[in-house]
Amino acid sequence: MGRRSDRAQGNGARPVSGADESHGANTRLVGAGRREEWTGPVVNPPVWRASTHLYPDTAALREGGKHNADGRFFYGRRGAPTQWALADALTGLEPGAAGTVLYPSGVAAIAGALMAVLRPGDVLLVTDNAYEPSRIMANGLLKRFGVESRFFDPLDVEGFASRFCDRTRAVLLESPGSLTMEVCDVPALAAIAREKGAVSLIDNTWASALGFPALERGCDIAIMSLTKHVGGHSDLMMGAASAGDRWYGPLRQTAQALGHVVSPDDASLALRGLRTMGVRLEKSAESALAIARWLAGREEVAQVLCPMLPGAPGHDLWRRDFTGGCGLFSFVLKGRDAAAAARFVDALTLFGIGFSWGGYESLALPIDPAAIRSATPWPPADRNPADRWGVRLSIGLEDAGDLIRDLERGFAAMEQA
Ligand SMILES: *Cc1c(COP(=O)(O)O)cnc(C)c1O
């Protein structure tokens, strides 16, 4: 957990790097979280493995227990400089954030943030294209704690206002949505939520703060799975939630009450990933766009769901609101079934088959969006109902030409029933 104002308060926390908010994203990524008293004379914040923090005497021990401020030693559950450096770095990258809380996974970040906001009897509005575990959480865990979840069509801004009642406490957004990649009008939806007195949370894993400054666009809490772009190497799990002054405190208190803590080794890996996140995102987005263009010209493809692609669904809002993209997108197969999608994916040799995304290596996954929505039809009403199955690609850092040749192999295998 790390708070931006520590620096302003002059508690001795001095950034090693001269990078600040006036600099570009890549400059800030290089300098983020590298404070002198946490890092010492080396470049990277060292790994502080610590449960017990020793006090010089019992008076200091008693005194230590009275303060619960960021960047203060107490006990390992409140972290140590490695975790503080990562949280501080993420806060610095999110315009409008007062602080960031780290969680052991992205799902834990979503659960932790929702629990910081919701009470029994509340209604939560959830976007219908939410990440599947978010749906499961809404229909399971949250229900058990007395929260009622209602799913809404993320593209129906007009209808959104009518979904609120006097028990509506929070809204969970995600843009682009999982699997189907719809880009919603986040500023408009967040403004409506605010007007109705509800808290808006957004799962901003796809774009990260680099591509979509969620708090600046009107959201109250920005959540990210650091497992994806920040880690970037498919070898760690972590999540984060950043918020302004109103919600940072409740996020932090709830995380402490739930005992959320991340390992300093993983925090160190996440910090390492963060340094190159800008160039990785840029490169994978560029390859993804080239591959999306190529897929759009294939006769086996009904639709490419890639907001970065001109003419694709959500492209205009993506251009208006986003400053970057990434390598994750989907495409819908023309009238093919589950077995065809599986043949396609099984034939790929450069793409791994597996969950997650945002690593340096490309991944592919057959998808059936129809199975995980309730408020909106899939395929959408204006599309051919036979165009249901698709494939989600996470484009990594391989050469795009090689990946395209691999996808060609997939299409050939798909037709050999
Ligand atoms: C992967 C993912 C998560 C969950 O992150 P984990 O770190 O795997 O728990 C949350 N939201 C989205 C959109 C994701 O893709």
Side-chain angles (χ1 to χ4, degrees), residues 16-17 34-48:
V16 174
S17 149
R34 291 171 53 205
R35 298 190 193 182
E36 195 175 278
E37 83 282 18
W38 295 343
T39 302
V42 297
V43 173
N44 294 310
V47 176
W48 288 65

Side-chain angles (χ1 to χ4, degrees), residues 14 24 34 45 49 164 178 248 284 292 316 341 350 365 367 378:
R14 193 149 73 80
R34 291 171 53 205
R49 286 199 192 86
F164 287 76
S178 276
Y248 174 59
S284 55
D316 293 340
L350 295 177
L365 201 64
I367 58 167
W378 186 264

Side-chain angles (χ1 to χ4, degrees), residues 311-343:
H315 178 70
D316 293 340
L317 279 176
W318 178 78
R319 275 195 52 167
R320 188 192 75 182
D321 292 344
F322 287 64
T323 52
C326 72
L328 186 78
F329 71 97
S330 305
F331 60 93
V332 182
L333 292 165
K334 201 180 280 176
R336 306 305 203 278
D337 60 7
R343 279 198 303 280

Side-chain angles (χ1 to χ4, degrees), residues 105-107 110 131 174 178 203 205 225 227-228 237-238 357:
S105 70
V107 165
I110 296 166
Y131 180 58
E174 189 180 322
S178 276
D203 182 336
T205 303
S225 164
T227 308
K228 314 292 165 59
M237 298 207 66
M238 207 181 289
W357 46 277

Side-chain angles (χ1 to χ4, degrees), residues 365-389:
L365 201 64
I367 58 167
D368 180 20
I372 54 159
R373 44 180 70 212
S374 56
T376 52
W378 186 264
D382 60 344
R383 307 290 305 180
N384 183 342
D387 302 339
R388 163 175 171 167
W389 277 82

